[in-house]
Amino acid sequence: MYETFGLLIYNQWQAASDGRQRPVTSPVTQAPVGMIASAGVAEIERALVSAERGFKTWRSVSAWERAAVLRKASELIRARAGDIARMISTETGKPLAEALGEMAELLDRLEAVAPALDASRLALDACGVAERGGVAVREVVAQMGSISASSRK
């Protein structure tokens, strides 16, 4: 279903340093779906350093620019949502309708966050600070990531 995928580290697709790969198989049919790089300790350490560097870069991006990036991500995901959902369904064995629902939920979240970032300088009306010129400024304070592990051999 897809080609061999590497590891996205420092914003570049890379092979595992030792070249190891592992097959991805459908849990429904046991048929091969593709190959993925098998990360070791060295790749995990590089990925964590990369995430920290990315966090520092992302944190310096204005809320308005982050909103634009999220809108673009939403647009790109929406254009490929059917293909992405089919891949999720094939890799996990979940029904296509459930994978499509996950895509819709992701898009809803992306599209809800972008306007909130646009309004990142919010008047504090509820606290009565607005009349004194107070604003709240939202900024990135932490990063998050996902490192997936499969229990299948």
Side-chain angles (χ1 to χ4, degrees):
M1 178 171 195
Y2 58 74
E3 299 174 21
T4 300
F5 279 94
L7 307 165
L8 186 61
I9 303 173
Y10 292 113
N11 208 29
Q12 295 181 344
W13 289 106
Q14 305 172 18
S17 58
D18 61 5
R20 285 187 356 183
Q21 295 182 329
R22 57 184 286 178
V24 177
T25 57
S26 165
V28 176
T29 66
Q30 300 303 311
V33 177
M35 297 291 288
I36 57 171
S38 186
V41 172
E43 289 81 21
I44 293 169
E45 288 174 353
R46 285 196 345 262
L48 292 171
V49 171
S50 173
E52 181 66 25
R53 188 172 86 178
F55 168 67
K56 289 176 181 171
T57 300
W58 188 243
R59 188 171 187 184
S60 68
V61 174
S62 76
W64 293 275
E65 291 171 293
R66 291 193 307 265
V69 169
L70 291 178
R71 282 194 184 88
K72 183 64 176 179
S74 177
E75 178 184 313
L76 293 171
I77 292 169
R78 185 174 299 288
R80 297 186 57 215
D83 292 337
I84 296 169
R86 277 187 286 287
M87 186 177 292
I88 291 170
S89 178
T90 300
E91 290 178 347
T92 64
K94 66 177 57 179
L96 181 59
E98 187 176 334
L100 287 166
E102 286 181 5
M103 295 306 305
E105 184 178 333
L106 168 64
L107 290 166
D108 286 349
R109 289 179 184 197
L110 285 173
E111 291 165 2
V113 169
L117 287 173
D118 277 340
S120 64
R121 299 183 68 83
L122 303 172
L124 298 178
D125 293 327
C127 300
V129 179
E131 8 347 303
R132 296 188 303 271
V135 294
V137 178
R138 295 181 185 180
E139 62 180 71
V140 180
V141 294
Q143 79 255 24
M144 61 180 284
S146 174
I147 298 176
S148 299
S150 172
S151 60
R152 291 185 279 151
K153 295 183 180 185

